[in-house]
């Protein structure tokens, strides 16, 4: 039998929604492999790689593989053709009609919300640390406790980012104990110390015989103090939550309190506990923030208008003290009884209590009481194949659907998927 033409085969796959050149690739590869029938699966594999919204039923609030903090659906790019098109005043001053600054919107609002004199937004937390070290310490030394030489997932290691910035790392103390005297000895011995860097142990804990030096004590040495907080908890008092700070937050350090305690700068992620899009924020003393903004590297690390628009929404919600408007905090603060009621209403599986976590390398060891449903066996592949894909986890041979990370507007589609999967078709 004559093999089908590439073009005819590609056209037969049009219902996948992929552009024609990608269908031609799939058709050509299938014919070359002598398996024209595989063209559809090949095209589907390409379609499956595209970014699309998914339902996160893992109970991991900041799921690194699922984009960390959830964002309002309209921002995930699912609207497609026909949605309104807009420019924005990202670098245009509407008062004067002159060129404006992209640092005026989200950055100024976040500074206001955290009590900082000024703030600067860059591409992510790693970029924030790199920029601060490059601007304030290149060619000089930076003192860090041996208990804080962290590695964050994705290959961010303090000694390596330090080397990349051109600063020299001076390690002080031991893994479990570092005292002010250790910092003082290093500062006295080296004549070129540019700053003291305090790094939050976001993703691990040291317990037992421990000692560390807090920001107010570091200040005594008369040098610039930079705190890399990572998590992006804006205020330890969580004024955006009616019920106050939840127990699972533990003693997570917050931007407002760290700056009030005397840190000159704090760096943190936009998409960890801040609940915004991927971004990095440098907040603190106006003169230092301005120095960072002027450096050529700031231009290379700057975020785009889409990110700034999303981050502005997050910052405005904080200023309104409206945790409900920040999807991460809305999910995190939902009472467990409400999750149990939703689980019962799904109509399939056994209602169970479960334990959600912050994730994203934040709050290790802390669990957030949660609820959901359990299905027998490993159903994760079938759930992943649903439209939209549903991501669940397997625990001791049981599939757990955790509702803490599912938006209630997705319960209907979730119920349909569970009914279909648990009845085996
Ligand atoms: C997460 C984290 C970073 C890196 O932030 P990204 O936004 O992931 O680049 C840096 N420092 C600390 C302490 C962190 O927790």
């Amino acid at each position: 039998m004559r093999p089908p033409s590439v073009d005819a085969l590609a056209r037969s796959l049009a219902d996948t929604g992929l552009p024609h050149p990608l269908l031609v690739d799939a058709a050509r590869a299938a014919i070359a492999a002598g398996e024209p029938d595989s063209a559809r699966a090949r095209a589907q594999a390409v379609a499956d790689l595209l970014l699309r919204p998914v339902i996160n039923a893992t109970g991991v609030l900041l799921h690194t593989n699922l984009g960390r903090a959830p964002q309002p659906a309209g921002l995930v790019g699912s609207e497609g053709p026909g949605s309104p098109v807009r420019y924005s005043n990202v670098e245009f001053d509407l008062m004067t009609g002159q060129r404006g600054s992209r640092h005026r919107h989200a950055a100024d609002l976040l500074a206001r919300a955290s009590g900082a004199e000024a703030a600067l937004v860059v591409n992510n937390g790693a970029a924030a640390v790199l920029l601060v070290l490059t601007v304030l310490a290149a060619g000089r030394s930076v003192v860090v406790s041996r208990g804080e030489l962290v590695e964050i997932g994705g290959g961010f290691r303090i000694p390596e980012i330090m080397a990349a910035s051109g600063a020299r790392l001076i390690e002080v103390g031991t893994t479990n104990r570092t005292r002010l005297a250790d910092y003082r000895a290093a500062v006295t011995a080296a004549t070129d110390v540019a700053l003291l860097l305090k790094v939050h142990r976001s993703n691990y804990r040291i317990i037992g015989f421990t000692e560390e030096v807090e920001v107010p004590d570091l200040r005594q040495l008369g040098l610039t103090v930079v705190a890399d907080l990572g998590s992006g908890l804006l205020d330890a008092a969580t004024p955006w939550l009616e019920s106050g700070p939840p127990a699972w937050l533990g003693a997570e350090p917050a931007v407002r309190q760290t700056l009030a305690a005397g840190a000159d700068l704090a760096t943190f992620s936009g998409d960890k506990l801040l609940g915004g899009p991927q971004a990095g924020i440098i907040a603190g003393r106006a003169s230092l923030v301005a120095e960072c903004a002027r450096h050529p590297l700031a231009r290379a690390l700057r975020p785009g208008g889409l990110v700034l628009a999303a981050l502005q929404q997050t910052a405005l919600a904080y200023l309104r003290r409206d945790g409900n408007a920040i999807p991460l905090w809305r999910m995190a603060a939902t009472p467990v009884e409400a999750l149990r009621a939703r689980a019962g209403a799904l109509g399939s599986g056994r209602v169970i209590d479960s334990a959600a976590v912050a994730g994203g390398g934040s709050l290790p060891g802390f669990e957030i009481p949660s609820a959901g449903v359990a299905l027998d066996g490993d159903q994760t592949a079938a759930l992943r194949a649903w439209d939209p894909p549903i991501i669940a986890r397997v625990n001791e041979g049981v599939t757990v659907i955790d509702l803490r990370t599912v938006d209630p507007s997705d319960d209907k589609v979730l119920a349909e998927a569970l009914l279909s999967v648990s009845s085996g078709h």
Side-chain angles (χ1 to χ4, degrees):
M1 197 181 76
R2 218 161 58 92
S5 81
V6 169
D7 192 62
L9 187 53
R11 281 180 198 289
S12 75
L13 305 171
D15 60 297
T16 59
L18 288 174
H20 190 64
L22 299 183
L23 298 178
V24 168
D25 292 347
R28 195 169 275 143
I31 292 170
E35 301 164 345
D37 288 348
S38 71
R40 178 161 292 277
R42 288 168 194 268
Q44 197 52 52
V46 172
D48 285 346
L49 283 176
L50 297 178
L51 274 176
R52 58 194 289 205
V54 304
I55 295 177
N56 174 11
T58 64
V60 180
L61 280 161
L62 300 168
H63 198 300
T64 303
N65 300 350
L66 304 181
R68 286 198 182 155
Q71 297 302 296
L75 293 169
V76 186
S78 52
E79 285 133 309
S83 57
V85 181
R86 295 271 189 274
Y87 290 96
S88 75
N89 56 331
V90 64
E91 282 196 1
F92 184 72
D93 186 329
L94 292 169
M95 294 285 284
T96 63
Q98 307 292 311
R99 178 163 189 179
S101 162
R102 72 178 59 219
H103 304 308
R104 290 274 70 89
H105 328 283
D108 283 0
L109 297 171
L110 283 171
R112 179 70 182 80
S114 63
E117 285 177 16
L120 176 68
V121 181
V122 291
N123 185 51
N124 56 22
V129 177
L130 176 66
L131 183 59
V132 167
L133 292 175
T134 305
V135 172
L136 303 183
R140 296 163 72 198
S141 295
V142 173
V143 182
V144 187
S145 161
R146 287 200 170 88
E148 299 174 4
L149 295 173
V150 313
E151 171 170 330
I152 308 292
F156 172 91
R157 302 171 120 192
I158 288 294
E160 290 172 6
I161 209 97
M162 191 82 72
S165 75
R168 186 168 71 91
L169 170 64
I170 301 182
E171 308 174 11
V172 295
T174 61
T175 306
N176 55 326
R177 305 196 73 167
T178 303
R179 302 185 191 78
L180 187 59
D182 297 318
Y183 286 93
R184 185 174 281 125
V187 167
T188 314
T191 54
D192 68 340
V193 176
L195 58 92
L196 310 178
L197 178 66
K198 177 131 187 86
V199 187
H200 176 43
R201 291 189 280 261
S202 322
N203 53 9
Y204 68 108
R205 287 199 285 162
I206 299 183
I207 56 168
F209 189 54
T210 64
E211 190 171 343
E212 66 179 300
V213 186
E214 300 297 343
V215 167
D217 293 322
L218 290 178
R219 290 252 306 161
Q220 293 178 29
L221 299 179
L223 287 161
T224 301
V225 175
V226 175
D228 176 26
L229 296 176
S231 80
L233 178 64
L234 216 53
D235 186 331
T238 63
W240 56 91
L241 298 182
E242 266 174 34
S243 47
W248 51 261
L249 261 187
E252 186 71 10
V255 181
R256 175 179 288 279
Q257 284 74 18
T258 300
L259 293 174
D264 297 285
L265 289 178
T267 54
F268 53 98
S269 274
D271 54 356
K272 291 190 184 171
L273 292 180
L274 193 70
Q278 181 191 303
I281 295 102
I282 301 168
R285 213 169 283 294
S287 58
L288 299 179
V289 171
E291 249 186 273
C292 290
R294 274 196 303 271
H295 193 279
L297 197 53
R299 171 65 180 77
L301 300 175
R302 77 182 189 185
L306 292 175
V307 165
L308 291 173
L311 196 58
Q312 170 176 282
Q313 288 308 106
T314 311
L316 288 171
Y318 277 111
L319 287 168
R320 291 190 188 105
R321 303 192 160 194
D322 183 3
N324 266 328
I326 304 168
L328 172 77
W329 285 104
R330 184 169 70 228
M331 288 177 171
T334 304
V336 71
E337 305 78 58
L339 299 179
R340 269 189 216 115
R342 283 172 50 199
L346 286 174
S348 305
R350 294 185 302 285
V351 176
I352 52 159
D353 281 349
S354 61
V357 293
S362 306
L363 301 165
F366 283 91
E367 290 185 338
I368 308 172
S370 191
V373 296
L375 302 179
D376 290 332
D378 182 349
Q379 311 290 353
T380 51
L383 290 168
R384 262 200 326 274
W386 202 259
D387 183 18
I390 297 159
I391 318 300
R393 67 186 143 95
V394 179
N395 202 354
E396 293 172 356
V398 170
T399 301
V400 175
I401 316 293
D402 193 313
L403 288 185
R404 175 142 322 269
T405 48
V406 177
D407 194 82
S409 66
D410 283 329
D411 282 4
K412 192 163 165 283
V413 63
L414 189 57
E416 286 163 14
L418 293 180
L419 180 63
S420 160
V421 167
S422 58
S423 61
H425 15 69

